[in-house]
Structures are given as C-alpha cells and as structure tokens.
Amino acid sequence: MLPFPAGGSFDPIVRALAEAASKDLGQAIVLMHKPGGGGVTGTAGIATMSEADGYTLAVMHNSVIRAPLVQKIAWDPRRDFTYVCRLFELVTGVCVAADAPWRTLPDLIADAKRRPGEISWGNVGAISANRITAERLARQAGVRFNMVPYKGGGEAFTALIGRHLDVYGDPGFGAQVQGGKVRLLATFTAQRMRRYPDVPTVRQYGYDYVIESPVGLVAPKGLDPKIGLRLQEAFRKASQDPVYQTQLELFDMGHGFADGEAYAAYARAQYDREVRMLAEIGFKPE
C-alpha cells in the first residue's frame, strides 16, 4: 500500500524496491496507491485490519506517527502496526522554479518580509513535518507564507514549474533540480549534500532545523515474527538492488535500512518528539 498518488517520487522508488524483493520472495508484489490525508489514509487502513498474514504491507512515514496528535483517530501508531523494516531517508529541500526571482533562501525571506502572506509555500499534506518545520522557520525569520497543502509531489512540482506555486518544501526534488526545471535554495540536512556542494543547509543560514524523516514498511499488528523476519530479509536484500539504489540517487533520497525492532523504537521516540514539536508551535488538535 502506497499512501500517495502515482507520479510522485515515491512511485518509482518503491516500485523498484518491490520488484527486487519479489524475486527473493518468489511472487509478485502488487503496488496499490491509496492517497489521502497527507499520506496517512492508506497506511492507516491496515492499522484496523483483523488479520495479519504478511500479504498486506504499507509504506510508513512520520505523518502517520504524528496523526493521533493532530486529529481524533481510533488507532495508535505505537501499538497498532507491526514494524517490518526501515527503508530509506527522505531529504527535504527548499525549491523554487528555475526562473523564479529568488537565488538564495535569504532572498526569499527578505521578499516574504516585504509581502507578508503573499508568497505561497507548498507541502504534501497539512500536517507533515516539512509543513510544521516551514512554519517554525517562518516564525523565527519573522515572516508569513501562504501555506498550501498538496496531495502528492507530482502535483506540487507541476504547480511550481508552472509558477502557480512559489516555493515547495518537501523531498523528491532531485530529478527536477537535475533537469534544470527547479532551483534548490537550501536543504534541511545536517551537512551540505554531496551532489549539491554549493547549496547551503538551512542551518548554515542561521535557522537550526534539520529534518529526519525515514520511510519504512509496516504490517497489521499481530504478524507472526517468522513472517516478519522473512519479509525483513527480503527487503534488506532488495535494498542493495542497483536499480533501486539508482532511483534513490535520482530523487536524492538517503540510504537508511534498519530492522523492524530498530524502526519500532524510532517510531516510539519520534512520537514523543512530535509532542514537543507541536507544543512549540502552539498546535491545537482538531
């Protein structure tokens, strides 16, 4: 289960991984798209499944972990999933169209100060870590952007390149930047990216924000540990597949495979971090 529309950066990455894992498992893996809720709905669907047989998996990301803190839901990400494995790391950047007037992040901030609320900033979903971090950045800089949620990265990049959106602050920018359609102003990474040595980090501009955003696989709760280990091993081998690794590089995603136990521990710790982060911006649940 892929909780985003077809055509975004997740699509070719997860498809390449699934094709590699299917060879080891000896059966096809069918990729199903179920977008909605900022990438939460599709994954949430398996939290309430009564049967865990290993045949239904979903892509997990931090918005799913955050979901109970921002809306009323009947499941808990700490208890209602079996964490199979952690796959890769999303890398978040601040992008504008190649012909946009801003050459650097300070240029953008300065213009936002002159025109409060007029510059649009897009993210996938209304409750993503990238959206929340953008709000925190704006607060610290003393500016206000018009925040616009999108269903998927493909839709957002189309709007950005067509100049219907001013700024896009999510992962998956690699192909667009390398194709010359998009300009990367800064990244929310701890260090500059090797592929873009001339692009500063947001931290280097004086805003101490680094976004850690892993993606993994989960199954319904109660999965037989033997089945979980079999799946984990298949996807561990698949993570070394050259086609999959090429897709990660193309979209500037980071390697980050870890076993299910480590991924579950991360999810529990991230839940507590989300509580603190939402309190910082004064967020009130729906």
Side-chain angles (χ1 to χ4, degrees):
M1 191 75 68
L2 185 57
F4 297 105
S9 58
F10 271 75
D11 200 346
I13 292 173
V14 177
R15 193 174 299 279
L17 181 70
E19 289 177 359
S22 68
K23 297 174 185 177
D24 186 73
L25 292 169
Q27 61 184 71
I29 297 176
V30 179
L31 192 61
M32 298 179 63
H33 294 271
K34 191 175 181 180
V40 173
T41 303
T43 306
I46 73 167
T48 55
M49 290 181 63
S50 59
E51 185 176 3
D53 54 12
Y55 286 96
T56 302
L57 303 175
V59 169
M60 166 71 85
H61 58 104
N62 282 4
S63 288
V64 183
I65 298 171
R66 185 182 312 109
L69 301 172
V70 298
Q71 56 189 306
K72 293 181 179 180
I73 55 178
W75 49 271
D76 188 322
R78 297 168 296 179
R79 298 191 302 266
D80 294 328
F81 295 105
T82 298
Y83 285 78
V84 175
C85 59
R86 176 167 162 163
L87 297 173
F88 58 88
E89 303 286 335
L90 300 177
V91 177
T92 302
V94 180
C95 297
V96 298
D99 57 350
W102 312 287
R103 308 295 302 185
T104 66
L105 182 62
D107 289 346
L108 178 65
I109 295 295
D111 194 11
K113 287 182 178 180
R114 290 190 294 267
R115 300 186 292 139
E118 293 185 27
I119 298 175
S120 57
W121 184 303
N123 295 105
V124 174
I127 60 167
S128 71
N130 306 315
R131 159 70 186 275
I132 293 169
T133 304
E135 295 276 18
R136 297 168 73 197
L137 169 64
R139 282 191 177 201
Q140 184 177 341
V143 300
R144 181 166 53 87
F145 293 102
N146 174 26
M147 295 294 180
V148 184
Y150 284 85
K151 294 180 180 179
E155 177 189 20
F157 274 117
T158 297
L160 186 71
I161 295 167
R163 300 301 302 277
H164 305 295
L165 174 68
D166 294 316
V167 185
Y168 184 54
D170 255 35
F173 52 81
Q176 303 295 344
V177 173
Q178 294 157 40
K181 297 180 180 180
V182 164
R183 180 184 302 135
L184 181 63
L185 301 186
T187 61
F188 284 97
T189 50
Q191 290 87 31
R192 293 192 185 201
M193 297 182 68
R194 184 171 55 185
R195 187 190 289 267
Y196 310 110
D198 297 330
V199 178
T201 66
V202 171
R203 175 182 280 177
Q204 287 178 309
Y205 281 123
Y207 307 101
D208 194 15
Y209 301 116
V210 174
I211 298 176
E212 181 186 11
S213 189
V215 172
L217 287 177
V218 292
K221 64 182 178 182
L223 182 68
D224 184 326
K226 292 182 180 179
I227 296 176
L229 287 173
R230 177 70 181 95
L231 290 168
Q232 177 182 288
E233 181 62 13
F235 282 99
R236 184 193 66 77
K237 292 179 181 177
S239 70
Q240 303 302 313
D241 180 77
V243 176
Y244 168 67
Q245 294 201 9
T246 296
Q247 290 297 327
L248 287 181
E249 183 177 353
L250 177 63
F251 288 95
D252 287 305
M253 303 296 187
H255 297 272
F257 187 89
D259 63 28
E261 184 176 346
Y263 190 31
Y266 167 82
R268 292 191 295 269
Q270 183 61 24
Y271 184 93
D272 294 337
R273 285 189 287 267
E274 297 285 357
V275 171
R276 296 191 294 270
M277 184 170 64
L278 290 168
E280 179 183 326
I281 65 171
F283 181 86
K284 301 296 182 183
E286 294 178 359

